[in-house]
Amino acid sequence: MTPIFTPPPPTIAATSDGRGFPVRRVFCVGRNYADHAREMGKDPTRDPPFFFTKWAETVVPSGTVIDYPPETGNFHHEAELVVAIGTGGHNIAVADANSHIWGYATGLDMTRRDLQLTAREQGRPWSTGKNFEQASPLGLIHPVSETGYLTEGAIRLTVGEQTRQEADIADLIWPVADVIAFLSRLYTLEPGDLIYTGTPAGVGAVVPGDVIRLSIEGLSDTVVTVGPPRHG
Ligand code: MN
């Protein structure tokens, strides 16, 4: 068959060893730090984690000037540890989960908070609050061979000179291995899948001109500048 238009190229994320990581799907975990659950008006629980998804094309590299997205007045940063899946599988056991990880990166789960909260109150899907162009900036993906398996390390986000989010990935309610196990019961995980593992407290608004810097110990920073409105 001849395609009726030229399909867009796949999203290829950069790795710390100079290669390309083809992004297949983006999964995100909701409320995976207790202090963030509280600031969102919810009690932290040990209920199974819940997930939402974003298009692969929402992934943009560190260094991007991201558009201020349309239809929001409350554009938020969320600092997250991102897991890159290298080996697929379904019904993965917690004890086997680490073997499915190719590597780790820093990543931002950018959010139109006003749209997300309106949808939440109305019992509607979160999609328009979470899944939009350039919504998932990502740092270099570091292979496990370089980092080992990450279970602790400082995570910090600044906007300009101001520290907004500061925590430790050891504080995840559900650690990475558990997240992979739960997610693999719902979907068959595939090489190229990314999992944004949730954000600690301190989420907040950014405006055009702001520079957001996310650091996690042992990984490359994600730095993005918020540009002018997409639809001017
Ligand atoms: Mn998030």
Side-chain angles (χ1 to χ4, degrees):
M1 273 187 297
T2 306
I4 60 167
F5 57 86
T6 306
T11 299
I12 311 286
T15 68
S16 64
D17 56 6
R19 293 188 286 165
F21 184 90
V23 178
R24 181 159 178 151
R25 295 173 296 187
V26 177
F27 297 98
C28 301
V29 185
R31 285 178 224 138
N32 203 15
Y33 289 84
D35 53 358
H36 173 63
R38 286 187 204 101
E39 77 177 347
M40 295 301 288
K42 300 291 180 185
D43 291 326
T45 70
R46 280 287 283 184
D47 289 345
F50 68 93
F51 301 94
F52 57 93
T53 57
K54 296 187 175 197
W55 303 312
E57 69 198 57
T58 64
V59 174
V60 294
S62 179
T64 301
V65 178
I66 57 172
D67 299 333
Y68 192 94
E71 299 297 325
T72 184
N74 200 16
F75 184 38
H76 273 207
H77 54 76
E78 293 192 358
E80 310 208 358
L81 171 68
V82 179
V83 177
I85 297 296
T87 305
H90 66 276
N91 289 340
I92 296 166
V94 173
D96 295 332
N98 280 345
S99 69
H100 294 262
I101 299 172
W102 188 84
Y104 303 93
T106 57
L108 294 168
D109 171 20
M110 298 304 294
T111 302
R112 291 190 280 209
R113 190 72 69 201
D114 38 6
L115 298 191
Q116 183 206 12
L117 292 182
T118 299
R120 193 179 88 175
E121 284 155 20
Q122 295 177 340
R124 292 176 178 171
W126 287 6
S127 304
T128 60
K130 287 291 193 178
N131 188 18
F132 53 91
E133 293 88 344
Q134 305 177 303
S136 312
L138 185 73
L140 296 178
I141 304 175
H142 293 250
V144 162
S145 57
E146 177 191 322
T147 61
Y149 295 113
L150 294 185
T151 55
E152 59 182 14
I155 177 170
R156 174 186 166 93
L157 182 141
T158 60
V159 176
E161 299 297 307
Q162 186 184 27
T163 297
R164 296 276 190 92
Q165 297 186 266
E166 198 160 28
D168 196 292
I169 58 173
D171 297 334
L172 283 165
I173 295 173
W174 291 106
V176 166
D178 295 82
V179 166
I180 291 171
F182 277 115
L183 188 58
S184 75
R185 302 180 67 86
L186 293 162
Y187 300 94
T188 300
L189 293 182
E190 301 288 354
D193 288 340
L194 297 179
I195 307 171
Y196 283 59
T197 57
T199 196
V203 301
V206 289
V207 296
D210 280 344
V211 177
I212 307 170
R213 177 179 293 272
L214 161 61
S215 309
I216 296 176
E217 231 176 310
L219 301 176
S220 298
D221 291 357
T222 294
V223 184
V224 297
T225 300
V226 182
R230 167 170 290 261
H231 295 169

